[in-house]
Amino acid sequence: GDGPAGFATEDFVGAEALVNESVPLRAFLANYHEKYVTEGALVSQSKLLPRSGKRPEVMINRQFAADATAMLRLNGQPLPHDSEEDQVRAAYEAVVKAVDGNTEKAQRITLVANRNVAQVLAARLAEELAVPPASVSHNTLHVDIKTTRRGVVVLVNARLSVAPHGPEREREARGVVRVDFVRKTVTLSLSAPR
C-alpha cells in the first residue's frame, strides 16, 4: 500500500511489521465512532464555510478543516495554498467528486480523513506492547486522500512515541492506517518500536 510521498507502506513501516492486520470497514467505523467521535472532539463539531460567489455553503467537521491546512494531501500532493478556506474546499470538493456527488458519503469520509485516526494506531501499539495507552503518543505526518473513479482511500501516516518504561529510553514506531472505502476494509500496519 502507499505511504508518505508515494512510498509503499512497507517502506514506511518496515518489511518486518509488528502489526499488519485488516478489519472490515463497518467494524472499524463503529469502534472509531464510539471511542473518538465524542462530544468534545473537533471531529464532532461543525464549521460553516459560507457561500462565496459561485461556491456553495459547506458544513464540515472542524478536525477535517484544521487538518486540511496542516497535513492533508490529495493524491499525494499538498493542497493549493491560496487560503485556508480554499484548502478545505479543495479537499472536500475532491472527496465529493470521488463519491459521485454524494455529500452524505463525503461527510462520512471526512470523519476519518484526519489526525484522529492516528489515535487508533497509538491505542493498538499500546495494546501490542502491553503498556498503558497514555505511554504512547502520536505525531501524524500526513493524511492522504486518494481519489479514484471507484471511490476514496484514506491513508493516515504517523510516527508514534513510546514513553520510557523503567531504564528504557523513548522509542519510536511508525504506523499507517489505510481506510479503503472502495474495498470496505481498513488495514493497520505498525513497525516495531526502536
Side-chain angles (χ1 to χ4, degrees), residues 115-142:
R115 74 179 76 206
N116 286 3
V117 174
Q119 293 175 337
V120 175
L121 284 169
R124 183 67 184 87
L125 183 59
E127 179 185 312
E128 191 67 27
L129 299 176
V131 298
S135 68
V136 179
S137 60
H138 68 85
N139 176 20
T140 307
L141 295 179
H142 71 259

PDB file of all heavy atoms in Angstrom, residues 115-142:
ATOM      1  N   ARG A 115      -6.323  13.579  11.592  1.00  0.00           N
ATOM      2  CA  ARG A 115      -5.319  13.051  12.520  1.00  0.00           C
ATOM      3  C   ARG A 115      -5.891  12.144  13.604  1.00  0.00           C
ATOM      4  O   ARG A 115      -5.147  11.398  14.222  1.00  0.00           O
ATOM      5  CB  ARG A 115      -4.536  14.191  13.154  1.00  0.00           C
ATOM      6  CG  ARG A 115      -5.312  14.950  14.195  1.00  0.00           C
ATOM      7  CD  ARG A 115      -4.525  16.063  14.831  1.00  0.00           C
ATOM      8  NE  ARG A 115      -4.452  17.180  13.927  1.00  0.00           N
ATOM      9  CZ  ARG A 115      -3.486  18.073  13.937  1.00  0.00           C
ATOM     10  NH1 ARG A 115      -2.511  17.985  14.796  1.00  0.00           N
ATOM     11  NH2 ARG A 115      -3.485  19.064  13.095  1.00  0.00           N
ATOM     12  N   ASN A 116      -7.184  12.192  13.871  1.00  0.00           N
ATOM     13  CA  ASN A 116      -7.763  11.365  14.926  1.00  0.00           C
ATOM     14  C   ASN A 116      -7.534   9.878  14.700  1.00  0.00           C
ATOM     15  O   ASN A 116      -7.445   9.111  15.652  1.00  0.00           O
ATOM     16  CB  ASN A 116      -9.261  11.620  15.059  1.00  0.00           C
ATOM     17  CG  ASN A 116      -9.557  12.940  15.724  1.00  0.00           C
ATOM     18  OD1 ASN A 116      -8.647  13.706  16.035  1.00  0.00           O
ATOM     19  ND2 ASN A 116     -10.815  13.230  15.932  1.00  0.00           N
ATOM     20  N   VAL A 117      -7.446   9.466  13.460  1.00  0.00           N
ATOM     21  CA  VAL A 117      -7.253   8.040  13.157  1.00  0.00           C
ATOM     22  C   VAL A 117      -5.903   7.561  13.690  1.00  0.00           C
ATOM     23  O   VAL A 117      -5.743   6.390  14.018  1.00  0.00           O
ATOM     24  CB  VAL A 117      -7.436   7.769  11.645  1.00  0.00           C
ATOM     25  CG1 VAL A 117      -7.111   6.339  11.298  1.00  0.00           C
ATOM     26  CG2 VAL A 117      -8.883   8.077  11.261  1.00  0.00           C
ATOM     27  N   ALA A 118      -4.944   8.465  13.841  1.00  0.00           N
ATOM     28  CA  ALA A 118      -3.649   8.073  14.413  1.00  0.00           C
ATOM     29  C   ALA A 118      -3.805   7.616  15.862  1.00  0.00           C
ATOM     30  O   ALA A 118      -2.991   6.838  16.360  1.00  0.00           O
ATOM     31  CB  ALA A 118      -2.652   9.218  14.310  1.00  0.00           C
ATOM     32  N   GLN A 119      -4.862   8.062  16.535  1.00  0.00           N
ATOM     33  CA  GLN A 119      -5.130   7.595  17.897  1.00  0.00           C
ATOM     34  C   GLN A 119      -5.406   6.094  17.907  1.00  0.00           C
ATOM     35  O   GLN A 119      -5.067   5.408  18.872  1.00  0.00           O
ATOM     36  CB  GLN A 119      -6.310   8.350  18.510  1.00  0.00           C
ATOM     37  CG  GLN A 119      -6.024   9.810  18.752  1.00  0.00           C
ATOM     38  CD  GLN A 119      -7.252  10.555  19.239  1.00  0.00           C
ATOM     39  OE1 GLN A 119      -8.388  10.151  19.017  1.00  0.00           O
ATOM     40  NE2 GLN A 119      -7.017  11.662  19.920  1.00  0.00           N
ATOM     41  N   VAL A 120      -6.010   5.600  16.851  1.00  0.00           N
ATOM     42  CA  VAL A 120      -6.260   4.163  16.741  1.00  0.00           C
ATOM     43  C   VAL A 120      -4.926   3.413  16.698  1.00  0.00           C
ATOM     44  O   VAL A 120      -4.756   2.379  17.348  1.00  0.00           O
ATOM     45  CB  VAL A 120      -7.112   3.841  15.489  1.00  0.00           C
ATOM     46  CG1 VAL A 120      -7.268   2.346  15.289  1.00  0.00           C
ATOM     47  CG2 VAL A 120      -8.472   4.528  15.577  1.00  0.00           C
ATOM     48  N   LEU A 121      -3.969   3.954  15.944  1.00  0.00           N
ATOM     49  CA  LEU A 121      -2.632   3.346  15.881  1.00  0.00           C
ATOM     50  C   LEU A 121      -1.959   3.353  17.252  1.00  0.00           C
ATOM     51  O   LEU A 121      -1.369   2.358  17.664  1.00  0.00           O
ATOM     52  CB  LEU A 121      -1.749   4.098  14.882  1.00  0.00           C
ATOM     53  CG  LEU A 121      -2.005   3.851  13.408  1.00  0.00           C
ATOM     54  CD1 LEU A 121      -1.230   4.863  12.577  1.00  0.00           C
ATOM     55  CD2 LEU A 121      -1.650   2.442  13.010  1.00  0.00           C
ATOM     56  N   ALA A 122      -2.036   4.484  17.942  1.00  0.00           N
ATOM     57  CA  ALA A 122      -1.407   4.591  19.262  1.00  0.00           C
ATOM     58  C   ALA A 122      -2.015   3.578  20.230  1.00  0.00           C
ATOM     59  O   ALA A 122      -1.286   2.890  20.960  1.00  0.00           O
ATOM     60  CB  ALA A 122      -1.547   6.014  19.801  1.00  0.00           C
ATOM     61  N   ALA A 123      -3.338   3.455  20.217  1.00  0.00           N
ATOM     62  CA  ALA A 123      -4.005   2.502  21.108  1.00  0.00           C
ATOM     63  C   ALA A 123      -3.625   1.064  20.758  1.00  0.00           C
ATOM     64  O   ALA A 123      -3.384   0.237  21.640  1.00  0.00           O
ATOM     65  CB  ALA A 123      -5.520   2.692  21.034  1.00  0.00           C
ATOM     66  N   ARG A 124      -3.534   0.768  19.469  1.00  0.00           N
ATOM     67  CA  ARG A 124      -3.183  -0.597  19.036  1.00  0.00           C
ATOM     68  C   ARG A 124      -1.743  -0.926  19.408  1.00  0.00           C
ATOM     69  O   ARG A 124      -1.445  -2.052  19.822  1.00  0.00           O
ATOM     70  CB  ARG A 124      -3.394  -0.731  17.522  1.00  0.00           C
ATOM     71  CG  ARG A 124      -3.145  -2.105  16.969  1.00  0.00           C
ATOM     72  CD  ARG A 124      -4.182  -3.105  17.481  1.00  0.00           C
ATOM     73  NE  ARG A 124      -3.880  -4.442  17.031  1.00  0.00           N
ATOM     74  CZ  ARG A 124      -3.073  -5.306  17.665  1.00  0.00           C
ATOM     75  NH1 ARG A 124      -2.492  -4.955  18.795  1.00  0.00           N
ATOM     76  NH2 ARG A 124      -2.863  -6.508  17.179  1.00  0.00           N
ATOM     77  N   LEU A 125      -0.833   0.037  19.291  1.00  0.00           N
ATOM     78  CA  LEU A 125       0.557  -0.193  19.668  1.00  0.00           C
ATOM     79  C   LEU A 125       0.669  -0.415  21.178  1.00  0.00           C
ATOM     80  O   LEU A 125       1.386  -1.322  21.623  1.00  0.00           O
ATOM     81  CB  LEU A 125       1.443   0.975  19.236  1.00  0.00           C
ATOM     82  CG  LEU A 125       2.942   0.809  19.509  1.00  0.00           C
ATOM     83  CD1 LEU A 125       3.501  -0.430  18.803  1.00  0.00           C
ATOM     84  CD2 LEU A 125       3.696   2.061  19.061  1.00  0.00           C
ATOM     85  N   ALA A 126      -0.047   0.381  21.974  1.00  0.00           N
ATOM     86  CA  ALA A 126      -0.037   0.200  23.431  1.00  0.00           C
ATOM     87  C   ALA A 126      -0.523  -1.197  23.791  1.00  0.00           C
ATOM     88  O   ALA A 126       0.064  -1.881  24.636  1.00  0.00           O
ATOM     89  CB  ALA A 126      -0.897   1.264  24.107  1.00  0.00           C
ATOM     90  N   GLU A 127      -1.568  -1.643  23.115  1.00  0.00           N
ATOM     91  CA  GLU A 127      -2.115  -2.992  23.352  1.00  0.00           C
ATOM     92  C   GLU A 127      -1.069  -4.056  22.997  1.00  0.00           C
ATOM     93  O   GLU A 127      -0.830  -4.989  23.757  1.00  0.00           O
ATOM     94  CB  GLU A 127      -3.369  -3.160  22.501  1.00  0.00           C
ATOM     95  CG  GLU A 127      -4.048  -4.496  22.591  1.00  0.00           C
ATOM     96  CD  GLU A 127      -5.215  -4.578  21.599  1.00  0.00           C
ATOM     97  OE1 GLU A 127      -6.029  -3.630  21.551  1.00  0.00           O
ATOM     98  OE2 GLU A 127      -5.292  -5.585  20.878  1.00  0.00           O
ATOM     99  N   GLU A 128      -0.426  -3.891  21.866  1.00  0.00           N
ATOM    100  CA  GLU A 128       0.569  -4.861  21.398  1.00  0.00           C
ATOM    101  C   GLU A 128       1.773  -4.941  22.339  1.00  0.00           C
ATOM    102  O   GLU A 128       2.312  -6.016  22.579  1.00  0.00           O
ATOM    103  CB  GLU A 128       1.031  -4.487  19.989  1.00  0.00           C
ATOM    104  CG  GLU A 128       1.850  -5.526  19.291  1.00  0.00           C
ATOM    105  CD  GLU A 128       1.086  -6.803  18.939  1.00  0.00           C
ATOM    106  OE1 GLU A 128      -0.149  -6.764  18.758  1.00  0.00           O
ATOM    107  OE2 GLU A 128       1.746  -7.842  18.848  1.00  0.00           O
ATOM    108  N   LEU A 129       2.176  -3.799  22.883  1.00  0.00           N
ATOM    109  CA  LEU A 129       3.346  -3.746  23.764  1.00  0.00           C
ATOM    110  C   LEU A 129       2.989  -3.978  25.237  1.00  0.00           C
ATOM    111  O   LEU A 129       3.879  -4.024  26.091  1.00  0.00           O
ATOM    112  CB  LEU A 129       4.054  -2.391  23.633  1.00  0.00           C
ATOM    113  CG  LEU A 129       4.591  -2.043  22.255  1.00  0.00           C
ATOM    114  CD1 LEU A 129       5.167  -0.634  22.252  1.00  0.00           C
ATOM    115  CD2 LEU A 129       5.630  -3.062  21.800  1.00  0.00           C
ATOM    116  N   ALA A 130       1.695  -4.083  25.527  1.00  0.00           N
ATOM    117  CA  ALA A 130       1.207  -4.251  26.900  1.00  0.00           C
ATOM    118  C   ALA A 130       1.690  -3.111  27.801  1.00  0.00           C
ATOM    119  O   ALA A 130       2.203  -3.324  28.899  1.00  0.00           O
ATOM    120  CB  ALA A 130       1.602  -5.618  27.462  1.00  0.00           C
ATOM    121  N   VAL A 131       1.541  -1.877  27.297  1.00  0.00           N
ATOM    122  CA  VAL A 131       1.880  -0.687  28.077  1.00  0.00           C
ATOM    123  C   VAL A 131       0.616   0.166  28.218  1.00  0.00           C
ATOM    124  O   VAL A 131      -0.317   0.020  27.432  1.00  0.00           O
ATOM    125  CB  VAL A 131       3.020   0.146  27.411  1.00  0.00           C
ATOM    126  CG1 VAL A 131       4.300  -0.674  27.319  1.00  0.00           C
ATOM    127  CG2 VAL A 131       2.598   0.669  26.050  1.00  0.00           C
ATOM    128  N   PRO A 132       0.577   1.051  29.221  1.00  0.00           N
ATOM    129  CA  PRO A 132      -0.608   1.912  29.364  1.00  0.00           C
ATOM    130  C   PRO A 132      -0.808   2.770  28.104  1.00  0.00           C
ATOM    131  O   PRO A 132       0.178   3.281  27.551  1.00  0.00           O
ATOM    132  CB  PRO A 132      -0.275   2.794  30.570  1.00  0.00           C
ATOM    133  CG  PRO A 132       0.827   2.082  31.287  1.00  0.00           C
ATOM    134  CD  PRO A 132       1.574   1.291  30.257  1.00  0.00           C
ATOM    135  N   PRO A 133      -2.050   2.934  27.657  1.00  0.00           N
ATOM    136  CA  PRO A 133      -2.309   3.743  26.448  1.00  0.00           C
ATOM    137  C   PRO A 133      -1.703   5.144  26.522  1.00  0.00           C
ATOM    138  O   PRO A 133      -1.234   5.667  25.517  1.00  0.00           O
ATOM    139  CB  PRO A 133      -3.838   3.808  26.372  1.00  0.00           C
ATOM    140  CG  PRO A 133      -4.289   2.577  27.091  1.00  0.00           C
ATOM    141  CD  PRO A 133      -3.276   2.335  28.183  1.00  0.00           C
ATOM    142  N   ALA A 134      -1.665   5.735  27.706  1.00  0.00           N
ATOM    143  CA  ALA A 134      -1.119   7.090  27.850  1.00  0.00           C
ATOM    144  C   ALA A 134       0.386   7.140  27.574  1.00  0.00           C
ATOM    145  O   ALA A 134       0.940   8.217  27.365  1.00  0.00           O
ATOM    146  CB  ALA A 134      -1.410   7.624  29.246  1.00  0.00           C
ATOM    147  N   SER A 135       1.057   5.991  27.547  1.00  0.00           N
ATOM    148  CA  SER A 135       2.507   5.992  27.311  1.00  0.00           C
ATOM    149  C   SER A 135       2.854   6.016  25.820  1.00  0.00           C
ATOM    150  O   SER A 135       4.023   6.102  25.455  1.00  0.00           O
ATOM    151  CB  SER A 135       3.170   4.795  27.990  1.00  0.00           C
ATOM    152  OG  SER A 135       2.769   3.593  27.369  1.00  0.00           O
ATOM    153  N   VAL A 136       1.834   5.968  24.950  1.00  0.00           N
ATOM    154  CA  VAL A 136       2.071   6.036  23.506  1.00  0.00           C
ATOM    155  C   VAL A 136       1.412   7.295  22.960  1.00  0.00           C
ATOM    156  O   VAL A 136       0.213   7.499  23.135  1.00  0.00           O
ATOM    157  CB  VAL A 136       1.517   4.787  22.767  1.00  0.00           C
ATOM    158  CG1 VAL A 136       1.760   4.906  21.266  1.00  0.00           C
ATOM    159  CG2 VAL A 136       2.133   3.510  23.316  1.00  0.00           C
ATOM    160  N   SER A 137       2.210   8.148  22.342  1.00  0.00           N
ATOM    161  CA  SER A 137       1.661   9.362  21.735  1.00  0.00           C
ATOM    162  C   SER A 137       1.927   9.319  20.235  1.00  0.00           C
ATOM    163  O   SER A 137       2.757   8.548  19.766  1.00  0.00           O
ATOM    164  CB  SER A 137       2.308  10.607  22.350  1.00  0.00           C
ATOM    165  OG  SER A 137       3.702  10.592  22.142  1.00  0.00           O
ATOM    166  N   HIS A 138       1.198  10.147  19.489  1.00  0.00           N
ATOM    167  CA  HIS A 138       1.372  10.141  18.035  1.00  0.00           C
ATOM    168  C   HIS A 138       1.632  11.537  17.506  1.00  0.00           C
ATOM    169  O   HIS A 138       1.207  12.526  18.070  1.00  0.00           O
ATOM    170  CB  HIS A 138       0.158   9.532  17.335  1.00  0.00           C
ATOM    171  CG  HIS A 138      -1.082  10.369  17.455  1.00  0.00           C
ATOM    172  ND1 HIS A 138      -1.362  11.393  16.602  1.00  0.00           N
ATOM    173  CD2 HIS A 138      -2.096  10.326  18.330  1.00  0.00           C
ATOM    174  CE1 HIS A 138      -2.511  11.952  16.942  1.00  0.00           C
ATOM    175  NE2 HIS A 138      -2.977  11.331  17.993  1.00  0.00           N
ATOM    176  N   ASN A 139       2.377  11.558  16.419  1.00  0.00           N
ATOM    177  CA  ASN A 139       2.620  12.771  15.671  1.00  0.00           C
ATOM    178  C   ASN A 139       2.278  12.410  14.229  1.00  0.00           C
ATOM    179  O   ASN A 139       3.022  11.693  13.580  1.00  0.00           O
ATOM    180  CB  ASN A 139       4.085  13.201  15.789  1.00  0.00           C
ATOM    181  CG  ASN A 139       4.391  14.409  14.937  1.00  0.00           C
ATOM    182  OD1 ASN A 139       3.485  15.143  14.544  1.00  0.00           O
ATOM    183  ND2 ASN A 139       5.649  14.612  14.630  1.00  0.00           N
ATOM    184  N   THR A 140       1.127  12.839  13.781  1.00  0.00           N
ATOM    185  CA  THR A 140       0.681  12.478  12.442  1.00  0.00           C
ATOM    186  C   THR A 140       1.535  13.206  11.415  1.00  0.00           C
ATOM    187  O   THR A 140       1.681  14.421  11.470  1.00  0.00           O
ATOM    188  CB  THR A 140      -0.802  12.844  12.248  1.00  0.00           C
ATOM    189  OG1 THR A 140      -1.549  12.260  13.315  1.00  0.00           O
ATOM    190  CG2 THR A 140      -1.327  12.323  10.919  1.00  0.00           C
ATOM    191  N   LEU A 141       2.105  12.463  10.491  1.00  0.00           N
ATOM    192  CA  LEU A 141       2.904  13.071   9.434  1.00  0.00           C
ATOM    193  C   LEU A 141       2.003  13.684   8.378  1.00  0.00           C
ATOM    194  O   LEU A 141       2.137  14.827   8.010  1.00  0.00           O
ATOM    195  CB  LEU A 141       3.812  12.029   8.792  1.00  0.00           C
ATOM    196  CG  LEU A 141       4.870  11.441   9.689  1.00  0.00           C
ATOM    197  CD1 LEU A 141       5.675  10.398   8.929  1.00  0.00           C
ATOM    198  CD2 LEU A 141       5.777  12.526  10.213  1.00  0.00           C
ATOM    199  N   HIS A 142       1.080  12.899   7.880  1.00  0.00           N
ATOM    200  CA  HIS A 142       0.081  13.454   6.980  1.00  0.00           C
ATOM    201  C   HIS A 142      -1.057  12.475   6.744  1.00  0.00           C
ATOM    202  O   HIS A 142      -0.962  11.294   7.044  1.00  0.00           O
ATOM    203  CB  HIS A 142       0.672  13.949   5.661  1.00  0.00           C
ATOM    204  CG  HIS A 142       1.136  12.877   4.750  1.00  0.00           C
ATOM    205  ND1 HIS A 142       2.455  12.524   4.627  1.00  0.00           N
ATOM    206  CD2 HIS A 142       0.464  12.067   3.907  1.00  0.00           C
ATOM    207  CE1 HIS A 142       2.567  11.554   3.745  1.00  0.00           C
ATOM    208  NE2 HIS A 142       1.381  11.262   3.299  1.00  0.00           N
TER     209      HIS A 142
END
